Amino acid sequence: MRVLLIKPETVGIFAYTYLVDHEPLEMEYLYTVLKNRGHEAYIYDRRHELTPLKSKLKHFAPDVVCITGYITQEKLMIKLARLIKRFNKSITVIIGGSHAEINYENFFNSSADYIYHLSGLNSFVKLIDYISNTGTTPLDEIPGICYREKGEWRANKKVVESPEDLSPIDRTYFNKNKNRYRYLTFHPLALVKNSYSCNNSCTFCYCTNRNSGKYACRKVEDLVNEIMETDAPNIHITDDNFLIDREYLKEFIELIREKKINKKYLIYGRADFIAENKDIMRELKDIGLSLVMVGLEARSDDELDSYNKKATLKHNEECVKILEELGIICAGLFIVHQDMTVKDFRELYTWIAQRAIIPTISIFTPMQGAADYSRFKDNLLTDDPKKQDLFHCILKPKHMSVRRFYFEYYKLSVKLAWLRRKTPLYSCINISSFLFIINVFLIKFRRIFIL
């Protein structure tokens, strides 16, 4: 059976830069399990491959097409499914990914035959076996899928899974295209998936609700072996929070040293753990930890409490101090919310500017699937999923107009970017970066006429 794996083009501000560009890890896992089952699979990454969809369908002639994507790509995924069915209605279309896992009902109006709403791939294998007539599991007994029965959608129950069940990944695609993938100066960059869900409960994030809200991670030895076998100098461990357990991290550090692995690591971590575990952070630095994306979010305890961060401003202060002392880049993540005043924007700028932080500023966005979505959903200025990219104001500001809010947001972001323009992390930004942006504009213009 021939299976086409579609990674849709990026939607939003990051569509115009290659400075942050990740490998299609989810598609590589699908490619791996399909290959292991004897199927022919092809990764069609529309972020980079310009072959029109119709041409790809004509020349590859797939029996099945799998489409994945994030919340901002919802409409595009639905459009792609419709165009595939228009080209050949006998092609089986499966929609999946993190957004479909949480909000699968959003795709009930699509042309898809199946919607996959699990984190792992055990049920995906059963579904592929069912489609290819080689399986023994009836459709109604395959967990985590949606399908039509007598014209109505039926959603099979979810199950809790573990990433330990994932097959060792085939990185053939990455190895052929590794020069595409980077996080600013960290290039080439490979992704390593180590866990499902998150053991925290921040109200603005729906990641904690993945895998039925149950956190699960791989054995340390499996993680380290994959890192060792991955041909890339920079590794981004994609856990929503890698800094969870001291004993796990100690074992990780010991194995990295034992196997003499020399790479740089990018991770997500929490300020409270960093503040309370300086010794572990020093050991991680010694084995290559280079950058921590840490959710500092705000500059007051009241704001942090409103997000259910279960961390304090004191934790934030100590976290930044420790990372600076150890020489680890603090990529601080902050949220500006619609209750802020002009003075609040100014004070946030001052707080960040006085500390060793490379900031990313997001606009508070009630994400569908997050804990606080139900609280705000009736007051949204738009329900367009493309606007749920953390860069749009979709709630009415309390103390200013929407236009003024955008002005203050972009002024804050630009001032901070200018302030940090000479940091080594941004050394990759040069004239060629802007020439690439022009090229991306031309590509997107072409997409208007040739999908």
Side-chain angles (χ1 to χ4, degrees):
M1 194 164 66
R2 298 165 68 86
V3 184
L4 184 64
L5 307 172
I6 298 182
K7 174 79 171 180
E9 54 267 39
T10 305
V11 174
I13 190 170
F14 287 110
Y16 299 96
T17 176
Y18 75 137
L19 298 175
V20 177
D21 199 355
H22 293 147
E23 65 175 303
L25 190 67
E26 70 279 29
M27 292 310 189
E28 291 175 288
Y29 270 113
L30 293 176
Y31 174 89
T32 299
V33 298
L34 289 165
K35 180 181 175 182
N36 291 346
R37 303 298 287 181
H39 302 293
E40 182 180 354
Y42 182 90
I43 296 176
Y44 175 36
D45 189 343
R46 288 173 54 86
R47 298 173 303 170
H48 301 284
E49 187 171 344
L50 294 181
T51 306
L53 175 63
K54 187 175 181 179
S55 296
K56 183 60 66 178
L57 294 172
K58 180 179 179 180
H59 291 101
F60 184 69
D63 303 291
V64 177
V65 175
C66 300
I67 308 171
T68 186
Y70 304 111
I71 190 168
T72 54
Q73 296 168 306
E74 177 185 304
K75 290 183 177 179
L76 178 56
M77 294 164 68
I78 291 172
K79 181 178 182 179
L80 290 169
R82 183 178 70 250
L83 292 174
I84 292 164
K85 284 294 189 179
R86 182 183 297 172
F87 176 83
N88 184 348
K89 64 181 180 180
S90 68
I91 296 175
T92 299
V93 177
I94 305 172
I95 283 178
S98 59
H99 177 42
E101 178 183 347
I102 301 295
N103 301 305
Y104 56 82
E105 292 182 354
N106 288 24
F107 296 95
F108 282 179
N109 66 338
S110 74
S111 302
D113 297 285
Y114 303 98
I115 303 165
Y116 192 79
H117 58 97
L118 290 177
S119 293
L121 295 177
N122 289 337
S123 286
F124 178 78
V125 171
K126 293 177 181 178
L127 177 59
I128 289 295
D129 287 348
Y130 174 85
I131 294 169
S132 62
N133 295 316
T134 60
T136 58
T137 306
L139 196 61
D140 61 357
E141 293 181 15
I142 301 176
I145 64 166
C146 301
Y147 61 97
R148 291 186 181 89
E149 186 175 70
K150 297 180 180 179
E152 299 292 329
W153 279 99
R154 172 173 176 172
N156 289 356
K157 66 179 181 179
K158 292 180 179 288
V159 291
V160 176
E161 301 173 289
S162 171
E164 290 185 1
D165 296 334
L166 292 172
S167 301
I169 189 170
D170 183 324
R171 290 190 186 266
T172 301
Y173 187 86
F174 171 81
N175 292 331
K176 289 180 180 179
N177 302 283
K178 68 174 64 176
N179 285 327
R180 291 176 178 171
Y181 308 121
R182 67 190 307 150
Y183 183 87
L184 296 168
T185 56
F186 294 96
H187 170 257
L189 176 74
L191 305 183
V192 174
K193 187 173 185 62
N194 185 53
S195 70
Y196 295 155
S197 192
C198 178
N199 67 343
N200 297 294
S201 54
C202 303
T203 56
F204 54 79
C205 179
Y206 70 68
C207 294
T208 188
N209 293 324
R210 299 192 64 187
N211 198 35
S212 300
K214 303 297 183 181
Y215 173 78
C217 71
R218 298 161 67 184
K219 295 175 182 177
V220 178
E221 186 174 3
D222 293 340
L223 169 62
V224 173
N225 285 339
E226 180 177 342
I227 290 172
M228 181 175 63
E229 294 165 3
T230 300
D231 185 17
N234 304 290
I235 303 292
H236 179 189
I237 301 173
T238 63
D239 298 35
D240 294 297
N241 178 18
F242 185 61
L243 304 177
I244 289 179
D245 182 85
R246 280 182 59 92
E247 296 307 313
Y248 188 94
L249 294 171
K250 285 180 179 180
E251 187 179 351
F252 174 75
I253 293 164
E254 181 181 346
L255 282 175
I256 292 290
R257 285 175 171 158
E258 178 183 309
K259 295 178 182 291
K260 295 181 171 58
I261 300 173
N262 182 23
K263 297 179 186 287
K264 294 180 179 179
Y265 304 99
L266 290 70
I267 64 171
Y268 286 97
R270 281 177 57 95
D272 51 348
F273 183 95
I274 296 169
E276 296 168 359
N277 295 276
K278 183 177 180 179
D279 59 327
I280 292 291
M281 299 307 299
R282 180 181 289 110
E283 295 291 303
L284 287 169
K285 167 64 178 179
D286 288 344
I287 64 165
L289 179 60
S290 300
L291 181 146
V292 181
M293 288 166 267
V294 54
L296 300 173
E297 319 302 0
R299 50 169 292 277
S300 76
D301 286 330
D302 287 343
E303 289 175 296
L304 292 170
D305 289 343
S306 72
Y307 300 138
N308 197 35
K309 283 293 294 186
K310 297 181 180 177
T312 65
L313 183 60
K314 185 177 180 180
H315 284 134
N316 284 0
E317 297 273 10
E318 186 65 16
C319 164
V320 175
K321 180 181 176 181
I322 288 172
L323 294 179
E324 180 182 18
E325 181 181 323
L326 297 177
I328 300 171
I329 298 171
C330 176
L333 310 177
F334 292 87
I335 298 173
V336 293
H337 56 82
Q338 286 77 4
D339 287 350
M340 290 177 65
T341 64
V342 173
K343 181 181 177 183
D344 291 328
F345 276 94
R346 287 199 301 263
E347 290 179 348
L348 180 58
Y349 170 81
T350 300
W351 193 91
I352 297 172
Q354 291 174 346
R355 291 160 178 83
I357 302 171
I358 307 297
T360 297
I361 314 295
S362 300
I363 297 175
F364 175 71
T365 303
M367 300 285 287
Q368 188 178 2
D372 60 10
Y373 180 75
S374 59
R375 175 185 168 195
F376 294 103
K377 68 177 183 179
D378 294 332
N379 297 316
L380 298 180
L381 298 177
T382 175
D383 59 1
D384 185 350
K386 289 191 296 185
K387 300 296 179 64
Q388 293 196 39
D389 60 357
L390 308 180
F391 297 105
H392 283 84
C393 181
I394 64 172
L395 287 172
K396 182 175 175 56
K398 184 176 181 179
H399 300 288
M400 62 190 82
S401 66
V402 172
R403 180 176 295 182
R404 180 60 187 270
F405 186 89
Y406 274 126
F407 174 77
E408 295 298 333
Y409 168 66
Y410 284 111
K411 182 173 74 171
L412 172 65
S413 299
V414 170
K415 284 175 64 179
L416 287 169
W418 180 256
L419 183 68
R420 301 292 187 239
R421 68 190 185 281
K422 294 183 179 180
T423 60
L425 187 61
Y426 294 145
S427 62
C428 59
I429 300 177
N430 49 43
I431 187 63
S432 65
S433 304
F434 293 98
L435 292 176
F436 187 88
I437 291 174
I438 293 173
N439 184 54
V440 172
F441 268 109
L442 294 175
I443 291 172
K444 291 183 75 65
F445 183 74
R446 180 183 176 186
R447 288 272 191 221
I448 296 174
F449 301 100
I450 306 176
L451 187 66

